[in-house]
Amino acid sequence: MKSRILHFFLFLLIPFFVSAQENPDEYFSAYVTPDHAIAGTKTSVSIIIKAEKEIKANTLFKVKFVKGFDNMQQLLPNFPGYVKASTSADGGRIAINSVLTSYDENISFWELNVHEKIITIVTRNADMAVGDSITITVGEGNGPNSLLQVPNTANKENLEIAMSDNGNVNNLKLTTHTPPFEIKANTLKTVYLFASSVAKAGQEAKLLVTTADDYFNIVQSFTGEINLSVNNSQNVILPQKVILTPSDSGKKEIPIFFVEEGSYVISGSVNSGNVAVVSSNPVRVDNERPFIYWGDLHSHGAPSRDGVGRGRYEYARYARALDFMCATDHADHGKTIYGLSDREWTRQKAEVLANHVPGKFIPFIGYENSYLYPTGHYNLIFNVKDEEIDNVPMWPMRVVNDIQTVWSLAQNSKIDLLTIPHHCGKVFNVKVEGDKCKNCNSFGGIQYNEEYKKLIEIYSYHGLSESYDPNHNLSYYGRSKIAGSFNGPNYAQDAWAMGEKLGVIASSDDHTGHPGSIVNGVVAVYANELERDTLFQAMKNRHTYGTTGERIWVDFRVNNALMGSTITIHPDTKPTVSFDVMGTDSIDYAEVLKWDFKRGVFENGHPKFEIIAKYNTNSSDPKNLKVEFIDPGFTDSCMYYLRVKQTNVIIDFIDAKEVWAWTSPVWMSHKIVNVDQTDSLKSYMPVGDEKKVRHFWSMYNIDGVSKYQIEKKSDQGVWQVLFDYTPNDPYQLDFQYVELYPKNGQNIYRLRYTNAKGVNKYSAEAIVELKLDSLISFSSTIEDGSIALNWSIDKELYTSTYTVEVEENGVFKNIGLIDANIKLEELISEYSFNTNISQSGIYTFRLSQKIDNKIVDTKLITVEIVPTRINDADFSNDFTLKSNLLNSSASTLEFKIAKRLSGSNITIVDILGRTIIEVGKVTDVESWKKVSLQNIPSATYRVVIKTTGGDLYSVPFVIVQ
């Protein structure tokens, strides 16, 4: 009997097991109509689920919609995002069980997000036959107020659908049906131009032309022409027009070339429509400077519980022209899936690999942990090679709950890592947190780490972390208007005063998939090349500064040490502070701030940084400011940094914000003086003083010292007496000797003295580095119609003569011999020599500097004399290059000349003026003539036209790889 009952129950369970094992993908197909919407608008969308097999009544579906549509609801047909559902099945109906966030649903195979809705429906009353369908409509209720609000972020995403055939959520299975849906950009409003901030003469630089709607999405549908212009156009090679075609998808990266050093800004216009073109950031063309690269090290998107948007690396490169970027999604939130899930983390690493283009764009891998006070929020940025990216560890807050453990793990695993604190003093909700700060960062003590904590995020869209200043335009007021600034030692100035050496960055903390957005913060890094490790090491060296989003060009130095440096100077000298700023708009002022680590004053619990200098621009040149001064108040260990404020605010679609930049500090202290305190010597210190070396020594007491000798080590390593002195005043304790003719380079000294016991004692060795007779500039001017050469020598002491030569047919010919005019009291000697060369042409001069009849330095300069009898506008109609930007595969250069230039002699020269191709006399006018470019390497060249009247003109062109 028991056996028959068991078989009966097994018979009843067979359909259940068969059903549970069937593939739910086979039961239906799905799509969305329409399959797109326009950013920032309102719409209605329908999800269609069509039966491909019979679907039983009480089947449950869960549809996860595209992230960002978070105002869906099924209760109020008169309110936005109303959801309703129906079925074509005869006698059937659809019950909407819920419309909840995925965070509240808490389903194991879906990430937990607060901006993502899941619609749960159940079929009722009747089975669905093949061909029957379910329609879920979102945004269609009683009138237009029920429409669905479309997010502002353009985005491509897929819906996901799960199914349970018996209505039990425990049997829910995720299907492979993922209907695509796209949010497209709104109408074109702005064209942006972004250029390389630092370029090299004759080398390729970058110009990005990109489009944007009101929400800063790339308008991929735009096609048309953008006209370009630039100051000093004769020295820049770029197209007059950029044509965007459908294949460009609303943006185009083009190479540009600068022929001469200088400062440039590229402007543009669009012929049709009410479209603004924002001029490029300022470009400094300087062959001696390191490059400035722009990036965002703090950006969120769809993988974060509270962010939206995919494709952030592509957006960073093509919408905001960033050189590098790190997606730092939350790794610390959720119920069962904490922050980044395994599939999101895998996807993120794949995006890094897919977007890494050395020399063009550098993605970093990282994430954010929002630790509680006293640690506070940190971004973790990893420096790994592409082949090692799978080994990057995930340390979520639920596993690693403080930054000290992160540092220990990184140390043990030998990981190259930066941990960057941000919005350090922000109270997210004043009403809830009151006089406490839930997420504030603290500094000093165990919060200090020299190896991994190198930078602080001084600004993001949250606000300013420089100092406690709740009345500042950039304070933590919060866009939700419920945030505030906590009055505690939680800011950059507090950290610096506590001794933490933190460089400065700014980044967006954007949550809409738009890194580098207009008023949300970007970081600038000084580096020699656009490579991941090079950038990372530059950031570890603190060669960084941050702005509120504008590409303000800033160079801040102390004693010529770049921002982020730590330097020492002798106590008897004063530091030289210098800065060079090019604004994107008029500059209101620039301030140099200082903190003295021994004499600094605290006020109301915070360090009171001293503003030691404040400068305004000249009204005739309001965008540029260049200053150098000596700080007379320097006494001992201190730090300096620069902040710059532009005059006008910038308005995005939410706020009007001031425009600022902040540099990393330079830390400065006294050199440690090595002293021998035995017997009577207190200290000995030689100091390089311009051209001289001053030797200082002090005694505790005389105590019978009979002789002092300053000794200097020769090139052969032999100590030789430089100065011999017998004291005659028993009360004299301080001594000084001035050496007028020290050696160029390294000078090694020691002090020998004979004490009361007749024993010779020595000080520690001391080294003085001197850079004498430095040829610091070589330039040309036109004086009285001929070329004059000018040069400057710093600390001229041993130079005997200068020789000036001009190149003729590949050989340099001597045209001048100038005796050095050494004046001991002058630091910089200026020379000018008139070559008496006035004929039109391109000339290369060589200046040679001699010491003891040996050449110690040479410099070359190429000078072109171009007559001005015909102006550029007329000449542009007389000589035309079909293109001045050629690919290396191009075999010919094509040009034509007007009738009045008939008979002109044409040559092609390189950047130094050397003849590459002799084209000869041209008489064939008003028709295209071709010149072979076979075996001509990629570089910058000029076409030189010499008319029958002797006038000379040149037109630049570039051959690129």
Side-chain angles (χ1 to χ4, degrees):
M1 181 67 181
K2 289 181 179 179
S3 175
R4 278 186 287 176
I5 293 174
L6 179 60
H7 282 89
F8 174 77
F9 278 104
L10 287 173
F11 176 79
L12 291 177
L13 289 173
I14 287 174
F16 170 76
F17 285 119
V18 171
S19 175
Q21 293 172 3
E22 286 185 317
N23 185 355
D25 295 334
E26 299 174 358
Y27 279 83
F28 68 95
S29 57
Y31 63 94
V32 184
T33 181
D35 62 359
H36 67 276
I38 305 300
T41 64
K42 295 181 179 180
T43 191
S44 177
V45 176
S46 294
I47 305 132
I48 311 298
I49 297 175
K50 183 180 178 182
E52 303 295 342
K53 282 186 175 181
E54 184 183 72
I55 296 176
K56 296 292 185 179
N58 297 320
T59 297
L60 179 146
F61 291 92
K62 286 185 179 289
V63 180
K64 182 165 73 75
F65 204 72
V66 174
K67 199 174 184 187
F69 290 88
D70 53 1
N71 60 344
M72 298 178 181
Q73 51 85 25
Q74 84 278 24
L75 300 176
L76 303 169
N78 295 318
F79 283 75
Y82 179 64
V83 179
K84 64 181 182 180
S86 62
T87 178
S88 63
D90 187 20
R93 69 179 184 89
I94 300 295
I96 302 178
N97 280 11
S98 62
V99 181
L100 299 173
T101 67
S102 57
Y103 188 87
D104 292 324
E105 283 275 12
N106 193 17
I107 296 172
S108 61
F109 47 73
W110 277 329
E111 292 77 25
L112 310 181
N113 296 303
V114 295
H115 294 307
E116 187 173 64
K117 287 293 181 74
I118 295 175
I119 303 168
T120 303
I121 62 170
V122 180
T123 61
R124 297 294 193 199
N125 297 355
D127 299 339
M128 292 177 59
V130 174
D132 287 341
S133 62
I134 298 169
T135 301
I136 305 170
T137 303
V138 185
E140 186 177 305
N142 296 340
N145 289 336
S146 66
L147 289 173
L148 180 65
Q149 179 65 49
V150 182
N152 296 331
T153 301
N155 193 20
K156 292 181 179 179
E157 190 61 278
N158 293 79
L159 284 69
E160 293 187 331
I161 303 174
M163 176 184 177
S164 174
D165 58 358
N166 61 3
N168 187 343
V169 72
N170 294 323
N171 295 328
L172 195 67
K173 292 183 179 180
L174 183 62
T175 72
T176 59
H177 296 298
T178 55
F181 188 84
E182 180 178 4
I183 303 171
K184 296 184 178 182
N186 211 307
T187 306
L188 174 68
K189 288 298 178 69
T190 311
V191 173
Y192 288 94
L193 306 178
F194 295 98
S196 304
S197 288
V198 175
K200 310 298 182 184
Q203 296 182 17
E204 181 180 324
K206 177 180 71 176
L207 176 67
L208 174 70
V209 181
T210 188
T211 59
D213 63 8
D214 273 338
Y215 310 106
F216 308 106
N217 302 299
I218 299 177
V219 184
Q220 297 186 7
S221 60
F222 173 75
T223 59
E225 295 182 353
I226 296 97
N227 305 308
L228 299 179
S229 60
V230 63
N231 63 309
N232 299 322
S233 58
Q234 69 275 12
N235 293 328
V236 185
I237 297 176
L238 80 165
Q240 293 183 346
K241 292 183 178 180
V242 174
I243 301 174
L244 295 181
T245 66
S247 63
D248 293 318
S249 299
K251 86 288 183 191
K252 182 173 281 189
E253 246 181 20
I254 61 173
I256 56 174
F257 293 82
F258 299 91
V259 179
E260 300 289 345
E261 293 188 348
S263 300
Y264 302 86
V265 174
I266 300 168
S267 303
S269 63
V270 177
N271 293 333
S272 59
N274 185 25
V275 177
V277 179
V278 177
S279 296
S280 77
N281 50 284
V283 181
R284 177 67 59 84
V285 180
D286 188 331
N287 286 354
E288 302 300 321
R289 289 183 181 273
F291 292 102
I292 294 177
Y293 297 114
W294 295 93
D296 190 338
L297 293 173
H298 188 183
S299 179
H300 298 272
S304 284
R305 59 175 176 82
D306 51 357
V308 298
R310 299 282 184 186
R312 285 164 292 171
Y313 290 108
E314 295 92 331
Y315 183 89
R317 178 177 178 182
Y318 293 116
R320 303 307 297 170
L322 297 182
D323 300 297
F324 63 95
M325 180 256 175
C326 187
T328 51
D329 292 299
H330 292 292
D332 53 11
H333 287 275
K335 297 176 182 177
T336 59
I337 298 177
Y338 288 76
L340 286 164
S341 67
D342 288 343
R343 71 168 182 169
E344 291 284 15
W345 185 230
T346 299
R347 181 174 181 173
Q348 196 144 308
K349 289 188 287 188
E351 288 183 15
V352 169
L353 295 174
N355 288 280
H356 186 199
V357 186
K360 293 288 187 180
F361 182 77
I362 307 299
F364 286 94
I365 188 74
Y367 46 84
E368 175 182 349
N369 273 327
S370 301
Y371 305 107
L372 301 177
Y373 177 84
T375 294
H377 289 204
Y378 272 82
N379 285 315
L380 280 61
I381 315 295
F382 295 86
N383 178 31
V384 294
K385 297 178 180 178
D386 282 356
E387 56 268 26
E388 299 169 354
I389 199 167
D390 281 338
N391 299 326
V392 174
M394 174 59 68
W395 294 321
M397 193 172 72
R398 67 185 176 93
V399 177
V400 181
N401 58 15
D402 58 52
I403 196 64
Q404 290 77 20
T405 305
V406 168
W407 294 333
S408 178
L409 290 168
Q411 182 73 42
N412 293 338
S413 54
K414 294 180 171 56
I415 286 175
D416 207 2
L417 172 69
L418 281 170
T419 58
I420 308 174
H422 58 271
H423 51 62
C424 305
K426 180 175 180 177
V427 178
F428 280 79
N429 191 320
V430 174
K431 293 181 179 179
V432 173
E433 298 178 51
D435 60 352
K436 295 183 179 179
C437 187
K438 181 180 177 182
N439 296 106
C440 280
N441 295 80
S442 57
F443 297 98
I446 65 169
Q447 303 298 336
Y448 179 63
N449 185 284
E450 173 64 20
E451 184 172 1
Y452 299 111
K453 190 179 178 184
K454 302 276 192 177
L455 302 169
I456 185 171
E457 186 181 289
I458 202 167
Y459 174 79
S460 73
Y461 97 91
H462 286 275
L464 183 59
S465 295
E466 182 184 12
S467 63
Y468 175 66
D469 186 359
N471 296 317
H472 198 289
N473 175 263
L474 302 178
S475 67
Y476 294 127
Y477 61 88
R479 289 185 167 181
S480 62
K481 309 303 180 186
I482 61 173
S485 299
F486 185 67
N487 188 8
N490 310 113
Y491 299 86
Q493 287 189 353
D494 299 304
W496 289 328
M498 292 180 197
E500 293 210 29
K501 285 189 176 179
L502 300 175
V504 163
I505 71 164
S507 284
S508 66
D509 201 357
D510 173 76
H511 281 61
T512 65
H514 284 175
S517 47
I518 187 169
V519 295
N520 286 350
V522 287
V523 52
V525 177
Y526 272 95
N528 290 321
E529 60 180 347
L530 189 54
E531 300 291 339
R532 184 180 288 152
D533 184 66
T534 303
L535 282 176
F536 201 84
Q537 300 312 317
M539 289 190 284
K540 290 176 72 173
N541 291 330
R542 309 177 184 93
H543 297 325
T544 59
Y545 66 94
T547 83
T548 53
E550 290 293 279
R551 310 290 171 91
I552 303 171
W553 193 97
V554 181
D555 189 331
F556 173 68
R557 298 171 186 258
V558 180
N559 277 23
N560 205 36
L562 187 62
M563 61 185 79
S565 301
T566 299
I567 59 175
T568 59
I569 61 173
H570 188 270
D572 292 333
T573 61
K574 304 295 183 183
T576 298
V577 180
S578 62
F579 62 84
D580 190 352
V581 180
M582 295 190 296
T584 59
D585 198 350
S586 62
I587 297 171
D588 190 2
Y589 58 81
E591 294 177 325
V592 176
L593 290 90
K594 172 184 174 182
W595 174 252
D596 189 313
F597 287 100
K598 293 188 177 180
R599 296 168 177 80
V601 176
F602 284 79
E603 192 173 86
N604 298 323
H606 298 282
K608 187 178 180 181
F609 274 60
E610 180 185 0
I611 300 174
I612 63 169
K614 183 174 182 178
Y615 293 91
N616 302 95
T617 55
N618 190 304
S619 58
S620 63
D621 190 17
K623 294 184 179 181
N624 296 282
L625 189 58
K626 189 173 183 178
V627 171
E628 181 174 298
F629 66 92
I630 293 175
D631 175 22
F634 174 78
T635 56
D636 205 336
S637 301
C638 68
M639 55 159 283
Y640 304 87
Y641 73 100
L642 177 75
R643 64 186 180 198
V644 180
K645 178 181 177 293
Q646 293 194 166
T647 306
N648 299 312
V649 300
I650 285 188
I651 302 174
D652 70 359
F653 59 94
I654 299 178
D655 288 321
K657 286 188 175 179
E658 293 175 354
V659 178
W660 288 76
W662 304 265
T663 71
S664 290
V666 174
W667 288 266
M668 174 165 285
S669 63
H670 287 155
K671 285 183 177 178
I672 297 174
V673 180
N674 294 320
V675 298
D676 181 351
Q677 294 189 4
T678 60
D679 295 323
S680 59
L681 180 65
K682 182 178 182 181
S683 66
Y684 164 67
M685 175 60 67
V687 179
D689 180 14
E690 300 168 351
K691 299 181 184 182
K692 303 179 282 291
V693 175
R694 297 184 185 273
H695 299 258
F696 303 90
W697 69 99
S698 298
M699 312 299 292
Y700 286 110
N701 55 71
I702 293 298
D703 196 23
V705 174
S706 60
K707 182 183 290 187
Y708 300 101
Q709 290 178 316
I710 296 175
E711 297 182 329
K712 186 172 184 177
K713 185 179 286 188
S714 69
D715 293 338
Q716 291 74 37
V718 177
W719 287 104
Q720 298 174 334
V721 176
L722 174 69
F723 175 68
D724 195 317
Y725 178 68
T726 300
N728 53 24
D729 183 351
Y731 300 103
Q732 183 180 2
L733 298 177
D734 298 307
F735 301 86
Q736 182 181 160
Y737 165 71
V738 179
E739 181 185 5
L740 294 179
Y741 294 96
K743 186 175 64 174
N744 187 29
Q746 189 177 82
N747 296 264
I748 304 176
Y749 305 96
R750 70 183 182 186
L751 177 72
R752 181 171 70 177
Y753 63 98
T754 306
N755 68 6
K757 298 178 181 179
V759 177
N760 288 327
K761 305 290 278 186
Y762 296 88
S763 71
E765 293 183 15
I767 298 175
V768 176
E769 289 274 0
L770 292 176
K771 191 174 183 182
L772 303 171
D773 295 272
S774 299
L775 192 57
I776 57 177
S777 69
F778 185 35
S779 61
S780 67
T781 55
I782 304 297
E783 297 181 5
D784 300 324
S786 60
I787 299 173
L789 301 178
N790 311 289
W791 63 94
S792 300
I793 305 295
D794 188 23
K795 302 181 183 66
E796 186 181 48
L797 190 60
Y798 295 108
T799 302
S800 55
T801 57
Y802 302 94
T803 303
V804 178
E805 301 167 292
V806 66
E807 186 181 24
E808 291 184 1
N809 300 319
V811 177
F812 280 98
K813 174 185 175 183
N814 191 330
I815 60 173
L817 184 66
I818 299 93
D819 289 330
N821 183 22
I822 297 173
K823 297 180 181 178
L824 272 179
E825 300 306 317
E826 291 188 8
L827 288 183
I828 298 179
S829 301
E830 305 282 353
Y831 291 88
S832 182
F833 174 76
N834 197 318
T835 66
N836 294 317
I837 295 175
S838 58
Q839 186 177 358
S840 303
I842 299 177
Y843 303 92
T844 299
F845 298 97
R846 181 168 68 185
L847 176 70
S848 299
Q849 176 188 12
K850 289 186 178 181
I851 296 177
D852 296 330
N853 290 321
K854 294 181 180 179
I855 296 176
V856 296
D857 199 2
T858 61
K859 284 191 180 295
L860 295 175
I861 190 172
T862 300
V863 184
E864 179 179 1
I865 298 181
V866 179
T868 58
R869 194 171 65 200
I870 302 175
N871 62 41
D872 288 341
D874 292 334
F875 179 67
S876 65
N877 296 324
D878 294 332
F879 181 88
T880 306
L881 283 178
K882 181 168 281 189
S883 174
N884 62 353
L885 189 60
L886 303 174
N887 191 280
S888 57
S889 62
S891 59
T892 60
L893 176 74
E894 296 184 62
F895 68 88
K896 64 180 177 180
I897 62 173
K899 184 175 181 180
R900 70 178 182 138
L901 291 183
S902 179
S904 296
N905 189 72
I906 295 181
T907 57
I908 296 176
V909 301
D910 64 12
I911 194 69
L912 296 177
R914 296 173 297 194
T915 299
I916 302 299
I917 299 174
E918 185 71 53
V919 180
K921 185 180 293 186
V922 178
T923 57
D924 187 11
V925 299
E926 302 297 348
S927 63
W928 293 105
K929 182 174 179 62
K930 295 183 178 181
V931 177
S932 174
L933 296 177
Q934 190 173 3
N935 298 323
I936 303 299
S938 300
T940 302
Y941 301 93
R942 289 179 180 268
V943 180
V944 179
I945 306 101
K946 186 175 183 180
T947 70
T948 55
D951 296 329
L952 197 70
Y953 306 93
S954 70
V955 178
F957 71 94
V958 173
I959 301 175
V960 298
Q961 290 285 358

